[in-house]
Amino acid sequence: MDEFIAGLPKLELHLHIEGTLEPDLMLRLAARNGISLPWADEKSVRTAYEFDGLQSFLELYYLGASVLVTEQDFFDLTRAYLTRCAAEGVVHVEIFFDPQTHTARGIPFATVLGGIERALQTGEKELGISWRLIMSFLRHLSEEEAFATLEQAMPLLDRIHGIGLDSGERGNPPAKFVRVFARCRELGLPVVAHAGEEGPADYIWQAIRELQVRRIDHGVRCAEDPELLCYLADTRLPLTVCPLSNTRLKVFDQMAHHNVLNLLEQGLCVTINSDDPAYFGGYMNANFQALAHELGASMSQLCRLSLNAVEASWLSLADKARLTREIRSHAACHGVVLS
Ligand code: HPA
Ligand code: ZN
């Protein structure tokens, strides 16, 4: 099974680049930039990664991101993630970055974007990984601050492929950002939003109706609303689900209780992603393995999850057709019959 997963072409559509900062790189960048952290070695960093929910994770995640200062830091971070993708059979990535986490510390927007983009371009050439870049607004901040960030991004907007919404969900509903998302859509940018991770099913409806999202990030709490389940199955509006993230942040108490396969069997376009893999104990293959070993996912279901990611991606039709063929051929080589 693990070999089958490793060879399956995979696409990652829900990944925060700041969430790929491994403890060793975090400590190296802290030393390089003269930034002090409360940890002396990798082991004590990892010991701190015990979360009781989204908020306790976000506090560490923003602290970790404080070591990212120069364009080279953002390049090194992104390059390390892409090297990992290449080793794991990930062929396409659509990644989030959080400009406000950095501009609030005085790091120029162009420094952040420049380092990430240079690594993505190099990675495409050297590792063959295609990519899109999604700028995310922090929802614990105000809509005015999101507008100010959009203003800073204006001269660079042709290098950004979409807009997202992340950070603490409870008490920060999608509707809080209805005007800035309308402006982003007017500018021709597709929008997505985290919803229904810790927040209720109603936040998923808000993201759909008020923000007009192309995908929902997480969305697993849709299971609480039968009408929403029907809507998602009928429209195939994708959900980017992150199994290891959900168990580490206690959205589900254990993997055996995760609902992603139920959603798949109800006809929803669910996909598998790693979210913040340095913090949640695994990249794409670890997420697929958890589904296989702890939830009993079949090879056929894993292939369908990967095919869903092709459907949900922002790739061209030609690239989608090529990746569909590659996934189907991997399945056929292993005698897997796809419905
Ligand atoms: N949820 C919300 N905000 C985030 C996450 C997440 O899982 N990861 C990074 N920012
Ligand atoms: Zn996320």
Side-chain angles (χ1 to χ4, degrees):
M1 177 57 95
D2 290 359
E3 191 198 319
F4 176 80
I5 289 170
L8 175 66
K10 291 167 292 285
L11 296 79
E12 173 130 86
L13 307 179
H14 181 162
L15 181 284
H16 305 265
I17 196 61
E18 295 89 348
T20 67
L21 182 60
E22 291 287 344
D24 61 336
L25 183 59
M26 187 193 294
L27 293 167
R28 263 193 290 136
L29 295 182
R32 189 154 99 186
N33 294 319
I35 287 171
S36 65
L37 288 174
W39 309 291
D41 54 40
E42 274 182 59
K43 190 156 169 278
S44 39
V45 182
R46 288 194 195 279
T47 314
Y49 290 177
E50 265 308 318
F51 311 116
D52 56 19
L54 179 57
Q55 198 51 45
S56 64
F57 154 69
L58 288 171
E59 282 158 25
L60 277 195
Y61 166 85
Y62 294 128
L63 180 62
S66 70
V67 306
L68 298 162
V69 177
T70 65
E71 198 256 13
Q72 188 64 40
D73 297 342
F74 288 94
F75 176 89
D76 291 347
L77 173 73
T78 310
R79 178 68 191 187
Y81 165 64
L82 292 171
T83 303
R84 197 68 183 242
C85 287
E88 295 211 356
V90 175
V91 295
H92 175 72
V93 299
E94 298 187 3
I95 71 178
F96 296 114
F97 72 113
D98 289 338
Q100 288 160 300
T101 301
H102 313 298
T103 53
R105 299 179 289 119
I107 315 292
F109 194 111
T111 300
V112 180
L113 179 62
I116 297 171
E117 187 186 50
R118 184 161 64 86
L120 289 166
Q121 287 167 341
T122 312
E124 180 153 32
K125 250 188 264 143
E126 295 176 0
L127 309 169
I129 299 169
S130 53
W131 56 276
R132 300 286 185 274
L133 198 47
I134 305 173
M135 172 172 89
S136 246
F137 296 127
L138 298 180
R139 72 200 305 159
H140 67 274
L141 301 178
S142 67
E143 187 178 45
E144 286 65 38
E145 286 164 293
F147 266 117
T149 302
L150 179 60
E151 203 51 49
Q152 283 180 296
M154 284 305 273
L156 313 163
L157 227 45
D158 57 339
R159 295 154 63 187
I160 291 168
H161 304 100
I163 298 293
L165 185 65
D166 62 10
S167 190
E169 187 179 5
R170 285 198 190 116
N172 296 302
K176 177 177 166 187
F177 295 91
V178 68
R179 287 167 305 161
V180 72
F181 268 62
R183 178 72 189 126
C184 292
R185 294 196 316 274
E186 259 173 35
L187 291 165
L189 290 162
V191 304
V192 299
H194 283 53
E197 176 187 19
E198 286 193 339
D202 176 57
Y203 282 18
I204 303 176
W205 278 124
Q206 285 185 27
I208 295 168
R209 292 178 172 146
E210 304 197 38
L211 303 188
Q212 298 176 33
V213 293
R214 304 282 188 95
R215 297 194 291 246
I216 297 283
D217 296 308
H218 293 296
V220 289
R221 288 192 60 190
C222 68
E224 295 165 17
D225 181 336
E227 198 189 325
L228 179 56
L229 276 174
C230 284
Y231 177 90
L232 293 170
D234 286 350
T235 58
R236 300 274 299 163
L237 183 77
L239 304 187
T240 61
V241 177
C242 309
L244 286 174
S245 164
N246 290 157
T247 49
R248 289 299 279 263
L249 299 186
K250 315 265 194 284
V251 174
F252 295 93
D253 59 357
Q254 51 177 294
M255 196 57 79
H257 295 160
H258 204 290
N259 66 2
V260 67
L261 295 184
N262 294 336
L263 300 177
L264 178 71
E265 294 311 326
Q266 288 179 74
L268 275 70
C269 185
V270 284
T271 70
I272 299 303
N273 308 273
S274 72
D275 206 5
D276 302 283
Y279 292 87
F280 299 149
Y283 288 75
M284 285 291 271
N285 285 347
N287 275 277
F288 275 81
Q289 284 164 12
L291 294 193
H293 301 310
E294 295 173 61
L295 211 50
S298 66
M299 289 181 183
S300 161
Q301 286 175 316
L302 298 180
C303 288
R304 284 161 57 207
L305 289 163
S306 212
L307 288 168
N308 281 351
V310 175
E311 178 182 339
S313 76
W314 295 343
L315 282 165
S316 68
L317 288 177
D319 285 334
K320 286 185 177 191
R322 174 179 51 81
L323 289 177
T324 299
R325 279 195 303 275
E326 288 177 16
I327 294 167
R328 287 188 170 278
S329 133
H330 181 72
C333 283
H334 288 77
V336 176
V337 180
L338 294 174
S339 46

mmCIF file of all heavy atoms in Angstrom, residues 14-16 54 57 61 96 165-167 194 197 217-218 240 242 245 274-276 280, ligand 2:
data_model
loop_
_atom_site.group_PDB
_atom_site.id
_atom_site.type_symbol
_atom_site.label_atom_id
_atom_site.label_comp_id
_atom_site.label_asym_id
_atom_site.label_seq_id
_atom_site.Cartn_x
_atom_site.Cartn_y
_atom_site.Cartn_z
ATOM 1 N N HIS A 14 -4.072 22.612 -0.578
ATOM 2 C CA HIS A 14 -4.279 23.321 0.696
ATOM 3 C C HIS A 14 -2.996 23.184 1.514
ATOM 4 O O HIS A 14 -2.798 22.192 2.222
ATOM 5 C CB HIS A 14 -5.487 22.715 1.425
ATOM 6 C CG HIS A 14 -5.811 23.380 2.732
ATOM 7 N ND1 HIS A 14 -7.030 23.232 3.347
ATOM 8 C CD2 HIS A 14 -5.091 24.183 3.549
ATOM 9 C CE1 HIS A 14 -7.042 23.908 4.493
ATOM 10 N NE2 HIS A 14 -5.858 24.495 4.639
ATOM 11 N N LEU A 15 -2.140 24.193 1.361
ATOM 12 C CA LEU A 15 -0.816 24.135 1.979
ATOM 13 C C LEU A 15 -0.389 25.556 2.296
ATOM 14 O O LEU A 15 -0.372 26.411 1.396
ATOM 15 C CB LEU A 15 0.155 23.459 0.986
ATOM 16 C CG LEU A 15 1.631 23.215 1.322
ATOM 17 C CD1 LEU A 15 2.485 24.478 1.246
ATOM 18 C CD2 LEU A 15 1.818 22.523 2.663
ATOM 19 N N HIS A 16 -0.108 25.807 3.573
ATOM 20 C CA HIS A 16 0.404 27.121 3.984
ATOM 21 C C HIS A 16 1.918 27.033 3.956
ATOM 22 O O HIS A 16 2.494 26.239 4.710
ATOM 23 C CB HIS A 16 -0.092 27.469 5.385
ATOM 24 C CG HIS A 16 -1.585 27.419 5.500
ATOM 25 N ND1 HIS A 16 -2.374 28.542 5.361
ATOM 26 C CD2 HIS A 16 -2.449 26.379 5.693
ATOM 27 C CE1 HIS A 16 -3.647 28.191 5.493
ATOM 28 N NE2 HIS A 16 -3.722 26.896 5.687
ATOM 29 N N LEU A 54 -7.216 24.958 17.104
ATOM 30 C CA LEU A 54 -6.605 25.830 16.095
ATOM 31 C C LEU A 54 -5.814 26.978 16.731
ATOM 32 O O LEU A 54 -4.695 27.284 16.308
ATOM 33 C CB LEU A 54 -7.716 26.360 15.171
ATOM 34 C CG LEU A 54 -7.320 27.305 14.047
ATOM 35 C CD1 LEU A 54 -6.275 26.682 13.124
ATOM 36 C CD2 LEU A 54 -8.549 27.710 13.223
ATOM 37 N N PHE A 57 -2.350 26.189 18.083
ATOM 38 C CA PHE A 57 -1.428 25.982 16.955
ATOM 39 C C PHE A 57 -1.011 27.318 16.346
ATOM 40 O O PHE A 57 0.183 27.553 16.102
ATOM 41 C CB PHE A 57 -2.070 25.083 15.888
ATOM 42 C CG PHE A 57 -1.524 25.319 14.515
ATOM 43 C CD1 PHE A 57 -0.222 24.960 14.199
ATOM 44 C CD2 PHE A 57 -2.284 25.962 13.542
ATOM 45 C CE1 PHE A 57 0.315 25.220 12.939
ATOM 46 C CE2 PHE A 57 -1.767 26.230 12.289
ATOM 47 C CZ PHE A 57 -0.466 25.861 11.982
ATOM 48 N N TYR A 61 2.642 28.850 15.271
ATOM 49 C CA TYR A 61 2.848 29.031 13.828
ATOM 50 C C TYR A 61 3.313 30.471 13.529
ATOM 51 O O TYR A 61 4.259 30.689 12.778
ATOM 52 C CB TYR A 61 1.522 28.677 13.161
ATOM 53 C CG TYR A 61 1.281 29.057 11.724
ATOM 54 C CD1 TYR A 61 1.709 28.240 10.685
ATOM 55 C CD2 TYR A 61 0.523 30.193 11.406
ATOM 56 C CE1 TYR A 61 1.413 28.557 9.364
ATOM 57 C CE2 TYR A 61 0.217 30.515 10.094
ATOM 58 C CZ TYR A 61 0.667 29.694 9.078
ATOM 59 O OH TYR A 61 0.368 30.008 7.781
ATOM 60 N N PHE A 96 -0.740 28.561 -0.238
ATOM 61 C CA PHE A 96 -1.105 29.821 0.412
ATOM 62 C C PHE A 96 0.137 30.493 0.969
ATOM 63 O O PHE A 96 1.048 29.818 1.460
ATOM 64 C CB PHE A 96 -2.012 29.578 1.624
ATOM 65 C CG PHE A 96 -3.347 28.982 1.301
ATOM 66 C CD1 PHE A 96 -3.672 27.708 1.740
ATOM 67 C CD2 PHE A 96 -4.294 29.701 0.589
ATOM 68 C CE1 PHE A 96 -4.920 27.158 1.475
ATOM 69 C CE2 PHE A 96 -5.547 29.163 0.320
ATOM 70 C CZ PHE A 96 -5.857 27.889 0.770
ATOM 71 N N LEU A 165 -8.635 32.820 2.702
ATOM 72 C CA LEU A 165 -8.987 33.379 4.018
ATOM 73 C C LEU A 165 -8.633 32.336 5.064
ATOM 74 O O LEU A 165 -9.157 31.218 5.013
ATOM 75 C CB LEU A 165 -10.487 33.690 4.048
ATOM 76 C CG LEU A 165 -11.029 34.382 5.292
ATOM 77 C CD1 LEU A 165 -10.447 35.785 5.446
ATOM 78 C CD2 LEU A 165 -12.555 34.446 5.247
ATOM 79 N N ASP A 166 -7.709 32.692 5.987
ATOM 80 C CA ASP A 166 -7.304 31.697 6.994
ATOM 81 C C ASP A 166 -7.163 32.351 8.361
ATOM 82 O O ASP A 166 -7.629 33.467 8.569
ATOM 83 C CB ASP A 166 -6.033 30.948 6.543
ATOM 84 C CG ASP A 166 -4.824 31.854 6.375
ATOM 85 O OD1 ASP A 166 -4.884 33.033 6.770
ATOM 86 O OD2 ASP A 166 -3.806 31.380 5.836
ATOM 87 N N SER A 167 -6.537 31.624 9.305
ATOM 88 C CA SER A 167 -6.380 32.011 10.715
ATOM 89 C C SER A 167 -7.633 31.655 11.527
ATOM 90 O O SER A 167 -8.480 30.886 11.041
ATOM 91 C CB SER A 167 -6.009 33.493 10.846
ATOM 92 O OG SER A 167 -5.644 33.768 12.189
ATOM 93 N N HIS A 194 -11.125 29.190 4.114
ATOM 94 C CA HIS A 194 -11.241 28.172 5.156
ATOM 95 C C HIS A 194 -12.633 28.333 5.785
ATOM 96 O O HIS A 194 -13.024 29.447 6.146
ATOM 97 C CB HIS A 194 -10.202 28.388 6.247
ATOM 98 C CG HIS A 194 -8.811 27.959 5.890
ATOM 99 N ND1 HIS A 194 -8.165 28.371 4.757
ATOM 100 C CD2 HIS A 194 -7.939 27.141 6.539
ATOM 101 C CE1 HIS A 194 -6.949 27.831 4.732
ATOM 102 N NE2 HIS A 194 -6.781 27.084 5.796
ATOM 103 N N GLU A 197 -13.972 24.217 9.566
ATOM 104 C CA GLU A 197 -12.896 23.453 10.220
ATOM 105 C C GLU A 197 -13.285 23.383 11.703
ATOM 106 O O GLU A 197 -13.677 22.336 12.198
ATOM 107 C CB GLU A 197 -11.549 24.160 10.022
ATOM 108 C CG GLU A 197 -10.368 23.493 10.737
ATOM 109 C CD GLU A 197 -9.071 24.311 10.674
ATOM 110 O OE1 GLU A 197 -9.128 25.523 10.411
ATOM 111 O OE2 GLU A 197 -7.989 23.724 10.912
ATOM 112 N N ASP A 217 -11.840 25.367 1.974
ATOM 113 C CA ASP A 217 -10.714 24.732 2.641
ATOM 114 C C ASP A 217 -11.193 24.126 3.958
ATOM 115 O O ASP A 217 -11.840 24.814 4.759
ATOM 116 C CB ASP A 217 -9.588 25.759 2.833
ATOM 117 C CG ASP A 217 -9.065 26.231 1.474
ATOM 118 O OD1 ASP A 217 -8.722 25.350 0.653
ATOM 119 O OD2 ASP A 217 -9.055 27.456 1.205
ATOM 120 N N HIS A 218 -10.917 22.861 4.135
ATOM 121 C CA HIS A 218 -11.452 22.003 5.219
ATOM 122 C C HIS A 218 -12.910 21.644 4.888
ATOM 123 O O HIS A 218 -13.126 20.724 4.116
ATOM 124 C CB HIS A 218 -11.324 22.641 6.609
ATOM 125 C CG HIS A 218 -9.911 22.791 7.070
ATOM 126 N ND1 HIS A 218 -9.095 21.710 7.297
ATOM 127 C CD2 HIS A 218 -9.160 23.896 7.338
ATOM 128 C CE1 HIS A 218 -7.907 22.132 7.701
ATOM 129 N NE2 HIS A 218 -7.913 23.456 7.714
ATOM 130 N N THR A 240 -11.061 21.003 0.306
ATOM 131 C CA THR A 240 -9.666 20.580 0.482
ATOM 132 C C THR A 240 -9.488 20.119 1.929
ATOM 133 O O THR A 240 -9.309 20.921 2.829
ATOM 134 C CB THR A 240 -8.691 21.722 0.147
ATOM 135 O OG1 THR A 240 -8.940 22.808 1.045
ATOM 136 C CG2 THR A 240 -8.857 22.199 -1.294
ATOM 137 N N CYS A 242 -7.840 18.033 5.190
ATOM 138 C CA CYS A 242 -6.482 17.834 5.718
ATOM 139 C C CYS A 242 -6.551 16.896 6.925
ATOM 140 O O CYS A 242 -6.677 17.362 8.071
ATOM 141 C CB CYS A 242 -5.887 19.182 6.125
ATOM 142 S SG CYS A 242 -5.989 20.439 4.836
ATOM 143 N N SER A 245 -3.978 17.271 9.959
ATOM 144 C CA SER A 245 -4.262 18.550 10.596
ATOM 145 C C SER A 245 -5.490 18.416 11.499
ATOM 146 O O SER A 245 -5.495 18.849 12.647
ATOM 147 C CB SER A 245 -4.509 19.610 9.519
ATOM 148 O OG SER A 245 -5.125 20.763 10.048
ATOM 149 N N SER A 274 -2.017 18.558 3.098
ATOM 150 C CA SER A 274 -1.260 18.459 4.355
ATOM 151 C C SER A 274 -1.319 19.720 5.221
ATOM 152 O O SER A 274 -0.845 19.681 6.358
ATOM 153 C CB SER A 274 0.182 18.047 4.060
ATOM 154 O OG SER A 274 0.901 19.095 3.470
ATOM 155 N N ASP A 275 -1.840 20.854 4.712
ATOM 156 C CA ASP A 275 -2.109 22.056 5.513
ATOM 157 C C ASP A 275 -0.822 22.702 6.055
ATOM 158 O O ASP A 275 -0.329 23.656 5.455
ATOM 159 C CB ASP A 275 -3.087 21.716 6.648
ATOM 160 C CG ASP A 275 -3.896 22.914 7.135
ATOM 161 O OD1 ASP A 275 -3.779 23.993 6.550
ATOM 162 O OD2 ASP A 275 -4.662 22.751 8.108
ATOM 163 N N ASP A 276 -0.327 22.207 7.195
ATOM 164 C CA ASP A 276 0.907 22.729 7.809
ATOM 165 C C ASP A 276 1.768 21.537 8.218
ATOM 166 O O ASP A 276 1.888 21.230 9.412
ATOM 167 C CB ASP A 276 0.564 23.567 9.049
ATOM 168 C CG ASP A 276 -0.359 24.725 8.710
ATOM 169 O OD1 ASP A 276 0.119 25.727 8.161
ATOM 170 O OD2 ASP A 276 -1.579 24.606 8.968
ATOM 171 N N PHE A 280 2.099 19.260 11.830
ATOM 172 C CA PHE A 280 1.050 18.259 12.040
ATOM 173 C C PHE A 280 1.519 16.824 11.828
ATOM 174 O O PHE A 280 0.707 15.898 11.804
ATOM 175 C CB PHE A 280 -0.155 18.562 11.132
ATOM 176 C CG PHE A 280 -0.807 19.898 11.398
ATOM 177 C CD1 PHE A 280 -1.417 20.610 10.369
ATOM 178 C CD2 PHE A 280 -0.810 20.446 12.680
ATOM 179 C CE1 PHE A 280 -2.021 21.848 10.612
ATOM 180 C CE2 PHE A 280 -1.410 21.683 12.933
ATOM 181 C CZ PHE A 280 -2.012 22.387 11.897
HETATM 182 ZN ZN ZN B 2 -5.260 25.641 6.242
#
